[in-house]
Amino acid sequence: MEERRVARRYNLALQVEIRLESDLKEFEPILGRTRDISTGGLYFRISRRLSVGVRIGFSIMPPWEVTQSTHAFISGRARVVRVEEVSEDSVDRVGIGAAIEGYKFGQAESSTS
């Protein structure tokens, strides 16, 4: 099978917070874990099934040792393009492929000086 992706994928297992754009009032984000990320998309696993076409907001925070103790993060918007049941007995049982529509890098304020 020929690789059709334009952007290089990175196999990274990082915590991701997902918010449905249709329900931005929802206080608790859906927590999951990424499997791979590129500038064009991401694949992650969560416990909740989403529908293809749904727009989401996401926030990914790399581990502190990677960012050298700064609280860096990546946030953006994406559209769900693939949904697959990956496990029946796992907490993160649904695999989601999402096309990134926009993202930005940020840095949170540190609570310690």
Side-chain angles (χ1 to χ4, degrees):
M1 179 184 264
E2 181 182 336
E3 178 66 47
R4 295 181 301 169
R5 290 178 178 88
V6 176
R8 180 173 177 195
R9 265 186 302 171
Y10 297 93
N11 295 328
L12 294 170
L14 301 171
Q15 183 173 337
V16 62
E17 292 183 0
I18 302 298
R19 292 188 187 275
L20 302 178
E21 282 199 357
S22 62
D23 191 14
L24 291 177
K25 296 175 198 156
E26 183 177 319
F27 186 72
E28 291 295 317
I30 304 166
L31 299 179
R33 197 138 195 88
T34 63
R35 182 186 73 184
D36 57 64
I37 303 171
S38 76
T39 55
L42 67 154
Y43 183 92
F44 56 93
R45 290 176 63 169
I46 57 176
S47 60
R48 184 173 167 183
R49 187 169 187 80
L50 301 178
S51 299
V52 170
V54 167
R55 286 193 157 69
I56 59 171
F58 67 89
S59 182
I60 301 169
M61 196 166 293
W64 303 129
E65 55 271 10
V66 172
T67 60
Q68 299 176 349
S69 298
T70 60
H71 298 270
F73 63 90
I74 303 164
S75 64
R77 295 177 331 279
R79 182 177 37 85
V80 174
V81 294
R82 186 175 74 193
V83 178
E84 55 191 13
E85 198 79 28
V86 291
S87 174
E88 290 181 10
D89 57 353
S90 173
V91 173
D92 295 334
R93 63 184 177 80
V94 180
I96 305 287
I100 296 175
E101 297 178 335
Y103 65 92
K104 65 180 178 180
F105 295 94
Q107 187 171 351
E109 294 295 321
S110 177
S111 59
T112 60
S113 297

